[in-house]
Amino acid sequence: MRTYRPKSACLLLNLGGFELRMHEHVTVARRLGRTLFSLTGDGLVKVEESAYAVPANVLALSPAELSVWSAMINEQLRAAGFAAGDAIILAAGRRHRGTLPLGTFIGCGIQLGA
């Protein structure tokens, strides 16, 4: 059996309806990363510091908003010193949940954590 080593950080990304299953998503994220961050409209927010910081719904953002938002997140990730190989994204919503590596294209040619 293969054991999984948690990453330094798990970033929570909202695919719509995240808040309806928030407790479940956070429980899964705690197994994936030692520190959890919600990707909010204000940028990275540690889940431990703000339990109700629901991630921004990336599907509701216009291409221009998505570009500005992802640039802000990318700056904060670099400033925090995250290595792309030691962070993971948990993209989750009402019906879907899955992991993405840091640096994944999230739409409109925009990479998260690039």
Side-chain angles (χ1 to χ4, degrees), residues 19-93:
E19 60 281 2
L20 299 174
R21 296 175 58 196
M22 188 161 175
H23 179 73
E24 181 182 335
H25 297 319
V26 169
T27 299
V28 170
R30 289 191 194 288
R31 287 185 238 132
L32 297 171
R34 290 187 293 276
T35 304
L36 305 183
F37 290 96
S38 182
L39 301 177
T40 70
D42 295 325
L44 292 176
V45 174
K46 280 189 177 181
V47 171
E48 293 81 13
E49 293 173 3
S50 180
Y52 298 103
V54 176
N57 182 349
V58 295
L59 301 178
L61 298 175
S62 71
E65 291 170 325
L66 185 59
S67 179
V68 170
W69 178 81
S70 65
M72 175 182 65
I73 295 293
N74 289 343
E75 283 178 25
Q76 291 178 347
L77 288 171
R78 278 192 291 278
F82 287 111
D86 204 23
I88 193 164
I89 299 168
L90 179 66

